[in-house]
Amino acid sequence: MLSVAYSAEAKHLNAARLAPQPERLEELFCAVPRESFEAGEGVFWEGDQADHVFKVSEGVLRVFKIIADGRRVITGFLYAGDLVGLSLKDRYLYSAEAVTPVRLRRLARKPFAEALEKWPDLRPQFFARVCDEMATAQDQMVLLSRKSAEERVATFLMLLARRLHGCHPIGRRIHLPMSRLDMADYLGLTIETVSRTITKLVARGVISPEGRHDFAICKPGKLLALCGDGDSYEDTIDREPKMRQAIWPH
Amino acid sequence: MLSVAYSAEAKHLNAARLAPQPERLEELFCAVPRESFEAGEGVFWEGDQADHVFKVSEGVLRVFKIIADGRRVITGFLYAGDLVGLSLKDRYLYSAEAVTPVRLRRLARKPFAEALEKWPDLRPQFFARVCDEMATAQDQMVLLSRKSAEERVATFLMLLARRLHGCHPIGRRIHLPMSRLDMADYLGLTIETVSRTITKLVARGVISPEGRHDFAICKPGKLLALCGDGDSYEDTIDREPKMRQAIWPH
DNA sequence: AGTCTCTGTTACACACCGTCACACGATTTA
DNA sequence: TAAATCGTGTGACGGTGTGTAACAGAGACT
């Protein structure tokens, strides 16, 4: 199963460990075939032996934990380009399911780890990924700990807007591929509260619906203000596209 | 400033980069003198140039973020042995202050990073640290997202009990060095709710106060049940002391 | 001792959000 | 076509936790 579907990356025909030095972490995944998952299908489960690292190439994934009474907490949504399973425990810390139809590439830990050992240039990139994940987790803690329902929803919309901003430099449109329940479990709210809050934002003209899962941002400034991030040093202007190169290890 | 105050570690008299290969990550910090901070004093601030990595050797630190209206979110408490500032951004993601009088060792990023490059055996340990931090953050998200006030406080008490458990294998006593406000900002509650909830736990005989900042756990089983972690695969029995060695990179 | 300050506790009214219930539209099934 | 199912929106209602208090205790200081 060493054949590669994606011909543009055909220069890496061999298994990752035999390939020439990759410049980018993502290239490690080019050597393995893509797998497909239907919407709702599980990729791995919390507590499973954590044998693989994944790279999403299409679609959206949700990662979540379940606690007593079946309460679910979605700790993140993962989009194309994101890596999953980097947390270096022997077992997965969370479960992962496809929100939309998903295509991803799976790499066993061993070759992944060996690649990191072998090519030091990859390590800063890897650190940067883990670091971003940590930063995101911290922001989420802030959201869950101290933000109101409205601030949570606004923050979520801004998050998605920024994410799409990467693809569509213009365009104030957001697409919400996940259900209201997913949003609720991500934001620490209920579906009803999410629904009502969105309705309220629409009523105020901050956003405007274009179907159930698409919205236009009519007042970006207002939406940003509603996030409640009136925060220390973070500037209001869009930061430059995320540096994927870690600052250190030098 | 190469002299070392702590004579028991005098074998590492030189700067970390010149020292013999350390077996443990912590040893990197032996070469630098300890600094002292009074209770309430700041160590570094969110947004500061992240030039240093710290190891707490005595006392307790709180790390936190501030958002609009001065709302504060404490993302963690750090005890002796914990490392701070590992997140690999160019700027600190959070601020750090001393809860109690604190002594810590500070290492510039450069020698720290160089040590990681030079001695591959240290990398798994470093990964393990970051990974633990990630796992803790996830648990905290669960707590903040879906747990009731009582479950939050119970979880917090169990956390501290387990932490002290490392030092005192027996003894069902917990010491809360931080104020109720700190607890509240960590648990996403208000001081009043924290206070009320503790009172309730005392009234039910689950814990019993021994001064404002010390409690005895009278019914450990009950307290554990109140945590709401009735969770999938996590066993009820105490896990073996945390592995500090990462499973991989092998 | 007496006073001041700081932290923690308790009380009560209120707000936000969760719970429960049902309606609506879209899609699937009989 | 009718019925069922699912995701979603909206309303009424109530509970958990909040906010504003006042109060109690423990130290620190004169």
Side-chain angles (χ1 to χ4, degrees):
Chain A
M1 291 297 284
L2 288 175
S3 65
V4 172
Y6 195 2
S7 66
E9 301 173 314
K11 57 179 175 174
H12 301 301
L13 276 170
N14 299 318
R17 48 188 309 184
L18 302 176
Q21 164 146 17
E23 289 181 11
R24 293 169 62 243
L25 201 54
E26 291 88 336
E27 294 173 26
L28 292 174
F29 292 84
C30 296
V32 294
R34 290 202 288 188
E35 300 172 42
S36 292
F37 293 83
E38 295 169 16
E41 200 176 345
V43 177
F44 58 81
W45 304 100
E46 179 180 357
D48 279 1
Q49 198 75 35
D51 297 326
H52 297 268
V53 178
F54 304 85
K55 186 193 141 208
V56 181
S57 48
E58 273 178 39
V60 180
L61 229 51
R62 62 174 167 251
V63 297
F64 62 93
K65 285 171 159 262
I66 305 280
I67 61 169
D69 322 333
R71 283 174 285 184
R72 185 181 70 160
V73 178
I74 294 182
T75 56
F77 294 105
L78 297 163
Y79 283 72
D82 290 336
L83 303 185
V84 200
L86 297 185
S87 291
L88 319 169
K89 299 283 188 181
D90 58 337
R91 296 184 173 275
Y92 291 117
L93 297 172
Y94 41 69
S95 308
E97 286 174 352
V99 171
T100 66
V102 161
R103 314 200 74 180
L104 51 76
R105 297 182 197 271
R106 172 201 303 263
L107 195 57
R109 270 196 169 187
K110 196 154 180 261
F112 185 75
E114 285 171 355
L116 283 182
E117 283 299 312
K118 190 168 173 186
W119 297 304
D121 291 351
L122 294 182
R123 288 203 285 265
Q125 296 178 46
F126 174 70
F127 287 146
R129 295 283 190 154
V130 175
C131 184
D132 279 349
E133 203 177 325
M134 197 67 223
T136 304
Q138 307 239 1
D139 288 339
Q140 191 65 4
M141 283 193 268
V142 170
L143 180 145
L144 295 170
S145 183
R146 288 289 179 230
K147 288 193 178 177
S148 69
E150 189 173 76
E151 287 172 330
R152 295 183 196 202
V153 172
T155 305
F156 184 65
L157 295 178
M158 280 304 296
L159 192 77
L160 292 197
R162 267 199 265 261
R163 200 194 291 273
L164 291 186
H165 197 74
C167 315
H168 304 270
I170 322 174
R172 297 300 196 177
R173 297 202 143 51
I174 20 184
H175 175 64
L176 310 174
M178 68 291 293
S179 70
R180 296 288 189 267
L181 182 58
D182 283 339
M183 290 181 56
D185 285 348
Y186 180 66
L187 298 175
L189 301 169
T190 58
I191 33 178
E192 294 91 339
T193 303
V194 170
S195 199
R196 266 189 284 263
T197 307
I198 290 178
T199 303
K200 204 194 298 174
L201 291 178
V202 170
R204 283 199 227 152
V206 179
I207 56 178
S208 105
E210 305 184 340
R212 285 272 160 76
H213 291 275
D214 293 87
F215 292 86
I217 305 182
C218 309
K219 303 178 181 170
K222 193 75 188 287
L223 189 60
L224 188 62
L226 287 176
C227 292
D229 288 322
D231 194 313
S232 42
Y233 77 100
E234 285 211 33
D235 41 15
T236 51
I237 314 159
D238 279 353
R239 282 169 287 185
E240 67 213 22
K242 228 182 266 172
M243 283 284 282
R244 294 251 75 135
Q245 184 79 2
I247 306 306
W248 77 282
H250 186 72
Chain B
M1 289 299 282
L2 286 178
S3 67
V4 172
Y6 196 3
S7 66
E9 302 174 314
K11 57 179 175 175
H12 301 301
L13 276 170
N14 299 319
R17 48 189 307 183
L18 301 177
Q21 164 146 16
E23 289 182 9
R24 294 169 61 242
L25 201 56
E26 291 89 336
E27 295 172 24
L28 292 174
F29 292 84
C30 296
V32 295
R34 290 202 289 188
E35 298 173 45
S36 292
F37 293 83
E38 295 170 17
E41 201 176 344
V43 176
F44 58 82
W45 305 99
E46 179 180 357
D48 279 2
Q49 198 76 34
D51 297 326
H52 296 270
V53 178
F54 304 85
K55 186 195 141 208
V56 181
S57 47
E58 272 177 41
V60 180
L61 229 52
R62 61 174 168 251
V63 297
F64 62 93
K65 283 170 159 266
I66 304 280
I67 60 171
D69 321 333
R71 284 174 284 183
R72 185 181 70 160
V73 178
I74 294 183
T75 55
F77 294 106
L78 297 162
Y79 283 72
D82 290 335
L83 302 186
V84 200
L86 296 185
S87 290
L88 318 168
K89 299 282 188 182
D90 59 337
R91 297 184 174 275
Y92 292 118
L93 298 172
Y94 40 69
S95 308
E97 285 174 352
V99 171
T100 66
V102 160
R103 314 201 74 181
L104 52 76
R105 297 180 197 275
R106 174 200 303 262
L107 195 57
R109 269 194 169 188
K110 194 153 179 260
F112 185 75
E114 285 172 356
L116 282 182
E117 282 299 312
K118 191 169 171 185
W119 296 303
D121 291 350
L122 293 183
R123 289 203 285 264
Q125 296 177 46
F126 174 70
F127 287 146
R129 296 281 191 158
V130 175
C131 183
D132 280 348
E133 205 176 324
M134 199 64 223
T136 304
Q138 306 238 2
D139 289 339
Q140 192 66 4
M141 282 193 269
V142 169
L143 180 145
L144 295 170
S145 182
R146 288 292 179 225
K147 286 191 181 180
S148 69
E150 190 173 77
E151 288 172 330
R152 295 182 196 202
V153 172
T155 304
F156 184 65
L157 295 178
M158 281 304 297
L159 191 77
L160 293 196
R162 268 198 265 260
R163 199 194 291 274
L164 292 185
H165 198 73
C167 314
H168 304 271
I170 322 175
R172 296 301 195 176
R173 297 202 141 51
I174 21 184
H175 176 63
L176 310 174
M178 68 292 293
S179 70
R180 295 290 190 266
L181 181 58
D182 283 339
M183 289 180 56
D185 285 349
Y186 179 66
L187 298 175
L189 301 169
T190 59
I191 35 176
E192 295 90 341
T193 303
V194 170
S195 200
R196 268 188 292 261
T197 308
I198 290 178
T199 303
K200 205 194 299 175
L201 291 178
V202 170
R204 280 200 231 153
V206 179
I207 55 177
S208 104
E210 306 184 339
R212 284 263 162 83
H213 292 275
D214 294 271
F215 292 86
I217 305 181
C218 308
K219 302 178 183 171
K222 194 74 187 288
L223 189 61
L224 187 61
L226 288 175
C227 291
D229 287 323
D231 194 308
S232 41
Y233 77 100
E234 284 210 33
D235 41 14
T236 53
I237 313 162
D238 279 353
R239 283 170 287 187
E240 66 212 24
K242 229 183 266 172
M243 283 288 282
R244 294 255 72 135
Q245 185 78 4
I247 307 307
W248 76 285
H250 187 72

